[in-house]
Amino acid sequence: MDNLQQHTDSDDRVNKTESYNVQTNVVDSESRFRNTMRQAPVGIVILRGPDFFVEMANDTYLSIIDKSEEEFVNKPLFVTLPEVRVSIEEILNNVIKTGIAYNGNEFEITMRRFGKPEQCYFNFVYQPISEETGEISGIFVVATEVTQQVLAKHRLERSETQFRTLVTQSQFAKAIVKGPEFVISLANESMLTNLWGRQMHEVVGQRLFDVFPELEHQNMGKILRNAYQTGTLYRDSEASMIISGPDGPKEHYVDFQYAPTVEADDEVSGIMISLNDVTDKVRFRKQITDAAERLSLATDGTQLATWDLDLKTRHIIYSGRLATIFGFEETKLLTHQDMRELIHPEDRKAVVEKAFQIALETGTYYYEARIIHPDESIHWIRTQGKIMYDEHHRPHRMLGTMMDITDRKEDELALKISEDKYRTLADELESQVQLRTKELTIANSELVKTNMELAQFAYVASHDLQEPLRKIQTFATRILETENENLSARGKDYFQRMQASSTRMQQLIVDLLAFSRANAVEKHYEKIDLNLVLQSVKEQLGDLIHQANAEVISDTLPVWNIIEYQFEQLFTNLIANAIKFTKTDTSPVIVIRSGRISGELIPVNGAEANQTYQYLSFCDNGIGFDPQFKDRIFQVFQRLHNRSAYEGTGIGLAICKKIVENHQGLIDAIGKPGIGSTFIIYLPL
């Protein structure tokens, strides 16, 4: 019995030891688990119960929400973070209710941290915590902040949008193709219209060589593949390219660039194609070369030499006869500079360079000058030429002929010597002629000086003209106010006419400046609410609208990509015109409508049938106009009425037309005498 008792006691001690060890291991395991979660690089939170009581939050999560453990742990979640309740409460309740985990990807939450509200983005998992009974008692949260990555992605998307906008608005033909199959991603209007002869919907998403199979085996197609495979930018000028358009195959000459587009991993993803069609320039140069060759053939049997000078590069092409004129063999190669240096030093600047400057102004080149042959002998040449201009009317080339006139000059010299024998008989007369010539020279110099002073005066007057006009108006008003009793009726009438004339002059200057501003090259387009533009214009014209008892009725206008100050000018001119040209004893009513219309329904030249347009119409109940004058009213200084009947400079509608054209739009006018006028603006969508 004693042995049995001892054995039983021993078993109890072993069982107690094992139980203690198990409990200790469980505590140690849980401690290590919590310690591991606390140090995890992702945010971890354990929420319990319907109030989402925070049981545990690791350091990463506390750092994300900018809270200490004392502020956050052992408290309901929405007590500490009330600002996130709207965003996630429903999601948490659904996880508790259904037991289904929820995954959030780039989930946007506005939360207050670091002293201010902040828009944040998270990737997270809400994992339900189940008890042994199957009851959902809490939620295990794992969260990673991806705010910077999302913002970077947004910036990249905006950057790509801006890039696509730049491509679309470029004056040069541009397209973007993607991948090794060269799928067309984007093409601007210049590429579609001027080179491809296609609509956007016909090419986007299509492989380049499927749409234009003729390009694949041309040199430019081979270069495109090479640029994609090597990631090397490639450019060339005046390259030949044949494209099949609606009218069949057509050869173009283009300056082009293939620029690889590279992703973040440095892999080439596509090619941006930039083309500048120089077909006209190349054909023009070929015509010039052909003309020079024909002229050379025509002059081979004469004493004339022909030449063709590139005014930009100073490269000269000439017939063999020209080298012999300068005393060399026909095969001698001479540059333009070589020829200049063979001109006699006394004639080089005074004659040749002067003639060249005159030619740039008049288009005609002519001089007679001396040249020095390699054997030091002096010869005379006569050169005639004509300036050729490019498509921008800039001097581009000069074509001409040259002839040796030494024999004629020697004859003239002999004649001059003979004449000199008799000139001594008229020394006094010659002296008087020289004196008169000197006087004329002085007078000419004075005239040149006077002209320069007049030009300077005109320049200053054109800029400072408004200031004296304002002073004329001010002083005239003061004289009428202070000296009214001392002026005769005729004097008062003169002063009133002077005021009216200066006012018209000032308005003319203002309108001309406005017209000039409408022609400005620099144009900044912004998306602007046209309702705000209309409101601003109505406020500016408030006195005029009130005095005329006018009413301006408008639809809700769209938001549009415009040059804001130009549209303010456009609205101002149209509304002011409607008020000005009103019928006697009638209150002006201006109705502004907005909508969309197909291009095929627009009765204006330049409207594209397949294009949809946004229209804005300004309809009034004024005096109207004869329809036969609908084009004339948009011309500068064109008026349909006497100034005594209706004031104005005749520039306002010309400004309107220019502003609409700046926005690639069209403007039309509909009118009938005594009924009213309607001005319609069409803007392409």
Side-chain angles (χ1 to χ4, degrees):
M1 287 293 292
D2 290 338
N3 290 335
L4 180 59
Q5 184 63 43
Q6 290 175 357
H7 183 71
T8 301
D9 292 341
S10 175
D11 288 343
D12 289 341
R13 284 194 299 272
V14 170
N15 290 336
K16 289 179 180 180
T17 300
E18 290 177 350
S19 176
Y20 174 77
N21 289 337
V22 169
Q23 292 176 0
T24 301
N25 289 337
V26 170
V27 171
D28 288 344
S29 176
E30 183 176 353
S31 177
R32 285 195 300 272
F33 172 70
R34 287 182 175 269
N35 187 50
T36 299
M37 287 197 300
R38 185 174 297 279
Q39 299 180 46
V42 296
I44 297 175
V45 178
I46 297 176
L47 305 176
R48 294 288 186 180
D51 293 331
F52 308 114
F53 193 83
V54 180
E55 181 179 293
M56 188 279 292
N58 71 350
D59 294 340
T60 301
Y61 195 89
L62 294 172
S63 175
I64 289 173
I65 63 174
D66 189 31
K67 303 290 183 185
S68 66
E69 188 170 8
E70 291 75 15
E71 292 176 301
F72 187 61
V73 178
N74 296 325
K75 295 180 181 178
L77 175 65
F78 298 133
V79 171
T80 311
L81 298 176
E83 65 270 21
V84 304
R85 185 168 199 152
V86 174
S87 300
I88 67 172
E89 183 178 27
E90 184 178 349
I91 298 173
L92 293 173
N93 284 328
N94 193 56
V95 172
I96 291 289
K97 180 179 179 181
T98 64
I100 300 173
Y102 184 88
N103 292 273
N105 184 41
E106 297 182 3
F107 194 85
E108 181 181 355
I109 297 178
T110 300
M111 58 189 301
R112 188 172 186 84
R113 60 180 185 176
F114 312 117
K116 61 181 180 180
E118 199 173 323
Q119 188 178 29
C120 308
Y121 296 88
F122 294 92
N123 292 342
F124 62 83
V125 177
Y126 290 163
Q127 180 67 40
I129 300 174
S130 301
E131 299 300 325
E132 293 180 358
T133 61
E135 178 186 1
I136 307 299
S137 63
I139 297 176
F140 186 82
V141 180
V142 179
T144 303
E145 183 171 4
V146 292
T147 301
Q148 294 305 317
Q149 296 92 314
V150 173
L151 294 179
K153 184 174 71 173
H154 290 172
R155 287 194 295 271
L156 182 61
E157 290 172 349
R158 287 195 298 271
S159 176
E160 183 174 353
T161 299
Q162 293 169 354
F163 171 71
R164 285 177 171 266
T165 300
L166 288 174
V167 170
T168 302
Q169 296 179 352
S170 174
Q171 62 177 326
F172 298 109
K174 290 183 178 289
I176 297 175
V177 293
K178 294 290 188 179
E181 298 296 327
F182 304 117
V183 176
I184 300 171
S185 173
L186 179 67
N188 68 359
E189 186 64 25
S190 179
M191 179 70 83
L192 292 168
T193 302
N194 300 332
L195 288 169
W196 287 357
R198 301 289 198 280
Q199 297 291 324
M200 180 73 80
H201 67 85
E202 296 179 277
V203 299
V204 169
Q206 303 293 319
R207 293 184 295 186
L208 178 66
F209 294 140
D210 286 347
V211 181
F212 304 104
E214 66 275 10
L215 289 177
E216 186 166 9
H217 301 294
Q218 296 181 42
N219 191 45
M220 289 184 64
K222 297 174 183 177
I223 294 172
L224 181 64
R225 292 193 183 280
N226 186 63
Y228 182 83
Q229 292 167 0
T230 64
T232 303
L233 183 143
Y234 192 92
R235 58 167 64 95
D236 200 355
S237 59
E238 298 185 1
S240 173
M241 176 178 67
I242 297 175
I243 296 181
S244 294
D247 300 328
K250 183 178 180 181
E251 183 177 24
H252 296 266
Y253 292 92
V254 295
D255 296 340
F256 74 94
Q257 174 178 286
Y258 292 155
T261 56
V262 181
E263 300 300 321
D265 57 1
D266 293 332
E267 289 292 325
V268 176
S269 63
I271 300 288
M272 185 172 77
I273 302 172
S274 301
L275 304 179
N276 181 26
D277 192 339
V278 294
T279 303
D280 292 341
K281 182 181 76 173
V282 172
R283 289 177 178 168
F284 177 76
R285 187 175 66 248
K286 288 184 175 181
Q287 290 172 0
I288 296 299
T289 303
D290 292 343
E293 291 176 355
R294 289 194 297 270
L295 183 59
S296 178
L297 290 172
T299 57
D300 278 347
T302 70
Q303 297 298 310
L304 285 174
T306 61
W307 49 267
D308 175 1
L309 176 65
D310 187 316
L311 295 177
K312 183 176 181 181
T313 65
R314 298 303 172 96
H315 176 69
I316 190 167
I317 302 171
Y318 56 86
S319 63
R321 174 67 184 166
L322 186 137
T324 63
I325 290 176
F326 280 97
F328 297 95
E329 296 291 333
E330 283 193 4
T331 55
K332 176 68 175 178
L333 296 178
L334 297 174
T335 66
H336 182 257
Q337 185 60 33
D338 292 337
M339 298 176 193
R340 279 294 174 94
E341 291 175 355
L342 292 171
I343 301 293
H344 194 287
E346 294 178 4
D347 295 348
R348 192 175 300 156
K349 185 173 183 179
V351 177
V352 178
E353 292 187 10
K354 182 179 179 181
F356 186 78
Q357 292 302 319
I358 293 173
L360 292 178
E361 297 175 5
T362 65
T364 301
Y365 190 43
Y366 179 86
Y367 69 83
E368 292 182 358
R370 292 167 290 175
I371 62 173
I372 303 174
H373 277 204
D375 62 2
E376 303 298 327
S377 60
I378 304 297
H379 294 257
W380 281 86
I381 60 171
R382 182 180 68 201
T383 298
Q384 293 176 281
K386 187 171 183 62
I387 297 286
M388 307 299 290
Y389 299 91
D390 63 14
E391 62 271 20
H392 303 294
H393 201 67
R394 293 190 295 254
H396 177 56
R397 307 185 78 82
M398 188 189 294
L399 301 178
T401 63
M402 182 180 291
M403 175 182 283
D404 188 319
I405 59 170
T406 304
D407 292 342
R408 195 199 77 186
K409 282 292 184 181
E410 289 177 348
D411 292 341
E412 289 177 355
L413 180 60
L415 180 61
K416 184 177 182 298
I417 293 172
S418 177
E419 290 173 348
D420 286 344
K421 294 178 182 180
Y422 300 98
R423 192 172 297 278
T424 55
L425 300 175
D427 284 343
E428 184 179 352
L429 179 60
E430 180 66 21
S431 177
Q432 292 178 358
V433 170
Q434 290 178 354
L435 179 61
R436 183 57 179 164
T437 301
K438 183 177 180 180
E439 291 174 350
L440 288 174
T441 301
I442 294 172
N444 285 337
S445 298
E446 290 296 326
L447 181 59
V448 171
K449 181 179 179 182
T450 302
N451 286 339
M452 291 177 64
E453 290 174 349
L454 286 173
Q456 184 177 8
F457 171 77
Y459 175 79
V460 173
S462 68
H463 286 75
D464 299 336
L465 200 56
Q466 292 196 69
E467 181 60 26
L469 281 175
R470 284 193 289 269
K471 288 184 178 179
I472 290 171
Q473 292 172 325
T474 300
F475 289 136
T477 301
R478 290 180 181 175
I479 290 173
L480 285 174
E481 291 175 349
T482 60
E483 302 295 333
N484 188 58
E485 299 297 330
N486 299 326
L487 293 174
S488 64
R490 177 177 293 180
K492 294 176 184 179
D493 180 57
Y494 287 161
F495 271 102
Q496 290 169 352
R497 291 186 182 185
M498 180 173 66
Q499 283 182 308
S501 296
S502 62
T503 299
R504 286 196 300 273
M505 183 65 178
Q506 188 175 44
Q507 185 59 46
L508 179 60
I509 293 171
V510 170
D511 287 350
L512 284 173
L513 288 174
F515 185 75
S516 175
R517 193 180 183 201
N519 280 283
V521 174
E522 186 175 355
K523 299 166 183 175
H524 300 289
Y525 294 90
E526 298 179 276
K527 284 200 173 295
I528 302 295
D529 188 342
L530 295 184
N531 297 287
L532 299 180
V533 174
L534 176 60
Q535 183 62 35
S536 175
V537 170
K538 288 167 66 176
E539 291 173 359
Q540 295 173 28
L541 297 176
D543 291 342
L544 179 63
I545 293 173
H546 178 72
Q547 291 171 7
N549 194 27
E551 184 178 5
V552 180
I553 303 169
S554 173
D555 288 347
T556 299
L557 304 182
V559 174
W560 209 258
N561 197 33
I562 62 169
I563 305 169
E564 184 173 8
Y565 76 86
Q566 290 194 1
F567 253 64
E568 286 185 356
Q569 182 77 54
L570 174 66
F571 280 27
T572 299
N573 287 4
L574 292 176
I575 294 174
N577 260 22
I579 295 175
K580 179 169 64 175
F581 295 105
T582 189
K583 292 178 287 191
T584 305
D585 300 328
T586 301
S587 295
V589 177
I590 302 100
V591 180
I592 304 173
R593 299 296 185 212
S594 173
R596 295 186 177 185
I597 186 173
S598 172
E600 61 185 357
L601 301 178
I602 299 176
V604 181
N605 289 336
E608 297 185 15
N610 297 329
Q611 176 76 51
T612 301
Y613 292 80
Q614 177 78 40
Y615 72 83
L616 301 172
S617 67
F618 291 73
C619 182
D620 64 57
N621 61 339
I623 62 173
F625 62 88
D626 193 320
Q628 66 176 312
F629 299 124
K630 65 178 294 185
D631 294 326
R632 177 180 165 187
I633 61 177
F634 291 112
Q635 299 175 13
V636 179
F637 300 125
Q638 295 298 312
R639 299 169 50 87
L640 302 184
H641 310 280
N642 292 330
R643 185 179 289 109
S644 59
Y646 296 97
E647 295 183 355
T649 61
I651 300 177
L653 289 178
I655 294 174
C656 292
K657 186 173 188 292
K658 188 61 187 175
I659 290 172
V660 173
E661 290 174 349
N662 286 346
H663 292 77
Q664 293 78 50
L666 306 166
I667 188 168
D668 192 17
I670 302 171
K672 190 173 182 180
I675 302 300
S677 305
T678 299
F679 292 89
I680 310 173
I681 299 158
Y682 301 100
L683 300 171
L685 289 172

